[in-house]
Amino acid sequence: SKPARTPAPPSSVTSSGSEAVSKFGNAKSISSDMFFGGESNSERDANLSRFQGSNSISSDMYFNRDSGSGAMRQSQSYGAGFQAPDMDDVKESVRQGVTKVAGRLSGMASGVMSSIQDKYGY
């Protein structure tokens, strides 16, 4: 059985606390924007409309912080300097990695078998 909870001692309620209770007392949940008075929907929509047609944006762009060039990049500029990796190089790198791991596992298994043989005299 659970121990009984003792109620918290009464505290002095500030006017902002009583305002919050009267405003949100029956709500199942509230957001921080609702409590602290963040952007309204129209402000948020206006902010988001600046990025219509963009594939991605940075937080600096969203919050209007200066991040160097300040220009919004479109998808065409992102792909301009992209070069796909050579698949033969990728294949060779994966092969080398698997061979290295297999060698280490083989060495560990040999060590375990040797210690079992030494301990039990096989």
Side-chain angles (χ1 to χ4, degrees), residues 1-7:
S1 104
K2 293 182 180 179
R5 288 180 64 184
T6 56

Side-chain angles (χ1 to χ4, degrees), residues 1-15:
S1 104
K2 293 182 180 179
R5 288 180 64 184
T6 56
S11 61
S12 62
V13 177
T14 63
S15 64

Side-chain angles (χ1 to χ4, degrees), residues 51 53-58 61 67-78:
F51 306 110
S54 297
N55 287 347
S56 62
I57 62 171
S58 69
M61 292 165 61
S67 63
S69 68
M72 190 176 354
R73 294 183 177 166
Q74 298 295 325
S75 61
Q76 295 84 8
S77 64
Y78 283 129

Side-chain angles (χ1 to χ4, degrees), residues 56-71:
S56 62
I57 62 171
S58 69
S59 58
D60 285 340
M61 292 165 61
Y62 182 82
F63 292 109
N64 294 321
R65 297 183 293 223
D66 187 20
S67 63
S69 68

Side-chain angles (χ1 to χ4, degrees), residues 1-112:
S1 104
K2 293 182 180 179
R5 288 180 64 184
T6 56
S11 61
S12 62
V13 177
T14 63
S15 64
S16 63
S18 58
E19 286 175 28
V21 169
S22 66
K23 190 172 181 181
F24 304 113
N26 294 327
K28 283 188 172 184
S29 64
I30 62 170
S31 69
S32 58
D33 280 348
M34 291 168 63
F35 186 82
F36 295 109
E39 290 181 337
S40 69
N41 285 340
S42 60
E43 290 171 341
R44 186 174 25 251
D45 291 344
N47 192 22
L48 291 176
S49 68
R50 295 186 302 139
F51 306 110
Q52 196 86 23
S54 297
N55 287 347
S56 62
I57 62 171
S58 69
S59 58
D60 285 340
M61 292 165 61
Y62 182 82
F63 292 109
N64 294 321
R65 297 183 293 223
D66 187 20
S67 63
S69 68
M72 190 176 354
R73 294 183 177 166
Q74 298 295 325
S75 61
Q76 295 84 8
S77 64
Y78 283 129
F82 180 74
Q83 180 180 352
D86 181 21
M87 292 311 288
D88 289 332
D89 290 343
V90 172
K91 181 180 168 183
E92 181 61 23
S93 296
V94 169
R95 188 193 64 75
Q96 288 175 358
V98 168
T99 302
K100 188 175 184 180
V101 169
R104 288 184 179 172
L105 288 174
S106 175
M108 286 173 47
S110 295
V112 168

